[in-house]
Amino acid sequence: MSYGRPAPDYNIVVDVDDDEPTLEFQDFASTNAQRGRMNSNGQTAGPAAAAAAAPPYQPPGSAEAPTGGYSVWHTEYWAQFFNVDSRDVVQRSFLAVVPKDSFLDVYNANPDLWGTFWIPTSVIFAMFVTASLSQSIAVALAGQKREYDFSMLSFAVFTIYTYVLVIGAFVYLATKYFGSQPGLMECFSVYGYAMAVWIPISVLCVLPFDWFRWAMVAVGFASSGFFIMRSVNQIVSRSNGKLHKAIIPLLLVAHALLVVIF
């Protein structure tokens, strides 16, 4: 039985505006993590605690330095050491010949193997070409026939690469043992770039004057020797030991033997 008027039919339409802002949920845990971690006493870790948690210093160019997560078996690991242009290599070569500024300070800002490899290679090529040219001139003046000796090229390749790799590795192992925190790449780079001075000297030694050649060799020995000693001393100075008193004479002897051989 019905009382009163019948209930009318209603159609309710809800208009939803797409431009209205929607609800967003914030992750307060991540925000708090960025502002600082809370210790067990409810206190925020200060700068001292953050510094204590920082990783130990690793010099650029060392095997332990951060490499973007790549291992030595990936090409991306080695690609970072070739991220230089010709201007960078020329600048570093100039610092090796005229060490008015610190070579390692410039090198460690962007370590490279480009100059470390190509400078010794260029020295080998320059020495072979200039030596062959000098002998050709002497033979031509004597009216004789010239025969090229490619064993000299093989000897130069073996001697220069062995010197750069073996002595560079020796410096790295010796300084690392005494806590100087060296970089393997920077030790190789010191001996690789130290060869830069021998490129112009090889060209000048084409002149057929023995006294002039010996003078140029003495200049090259002094320039490259000073560069090596200065750079190695900078690596050694990272520790408080007295390693330089033992290693410097050995490096001078090895450097002198290289000059005498050539």
Side-chain angles (χ1 to χ4, degrees):
M1 189 172 187
S2 175
Y3 298 93
R5 291 179 301 176
D9 295 331
Y10 291 96
N11 293 327
I12 301 174
V13 178
V14 179
D15 185 13
V16 179
D17 191 357
D18 294 335
D19 295 332
E20 291 294 331
T22 58
L23 294 178
E24 295 183 357
F25 296 92
Q26 298 182 358
D27 188 359
F28 293 96
S30 61
T31 306
N32 292 334
Q34 295 178 356
R35 295 181 179 178
R37 296 182 178 274
M38 305 295 292
N39 56 21
S40 59
N41 296 327
Q43 298 178 352
T44 304
Y57 167 76
Q58 296 295 344
S62 62
E64 296 83 1
T67 56
Y70 299 108
S71 66
V72 296
W73 307 110
H74 290 79
T75 56
E76 289 82 359
Y77 174 88
W78 299 103
Q80 62 180 330
F81 297 114
F82 294 88
N83 188 25
V84 292
D85 53 22
S86 58
R87 182 178 60 182
D88 297 327
V89 176
V90 170
Q91 178 191 15
R92 299 175 185 194
S93 301
F94 179 79
L95 291 177
V97 178
V98 185
K100 62 177 183 178
D101 297 324
S102 174
F103 168 81
L104 291 181
D105 290 344
V106 177
Y107 175 84
N108 285 334
N110 184 23
D112 79 280
L113 287 176
W114 186 269
T116 305
F117 170 75
W118 279 112
I119 289 178
T121 304
S122 300
V123 171
I124 294 171
F125 177 77
M127 293 184 66
F128 174 74
V129 171
T130 55
S132 300
L133 180 60
S134 177
Q135 293 178 4
S136 298
I137 294 174
V139 169
L141 293 176
Q144 300 176 359
K145 184 179 179 180
R146 166 64 173 161
E147 294 183 1
Y148 291 96
D149 184 11
F150 288 94
S151 62
M152 180 174 55
L153 177 61
S154 302
F155 177 77
V157 170
F158 174 80
T159 304
I160 291 181
Y161 283 149
T162 300
Y163 176 74
V164 172
L165 295 177
V166 173
I167 304 300
F170 170 76
V171 172
Y172 170 75
L173 294 175
T175 53
K176 186 176 181 63
Y177 178 79
F178 286 94
S180 296
Q181 294 183 339
L184 180 60
M185 301 305 173
E186 70 176 350
C187 291
F188 284 148
S189 71
V190 167
Y191 280 88
Y193 277 94
M195 298 286 104
V197 70
W198 296 107
I199 298 177
I201 289 180
S202 299
V203 176
L204 293 175
C205 286
V206 174
L207 299 177
F209 305 108
D210 290 339
W211 64 269
F212 180 77
R213 292 175 179 175
W214 281 109
M216 290 294 98
V217 170
V219 171
F221 171 77
S223 176
S224 57
F226 176 77
F227 167 73
I228 291 174
M229 296 306 108
R230 180 183 181 182
S231 300
V232 172
N233 186 67
Q234 184 176 350
I235 297 175
V236 172
S237 63
R238 296 171 187 168
S239 67
N240 296 326
K242 298 181 178 180
L243 175 64
H244 64 281
K245 292 184 177 180
I247 194 175
I248 295 299
L250 295 177
L251 299 181
L252 284 174
V253 171
H255 188 60
L257 289 176
L258 176 70
V259 174
V260 171
I261 289 175
F262 285 101

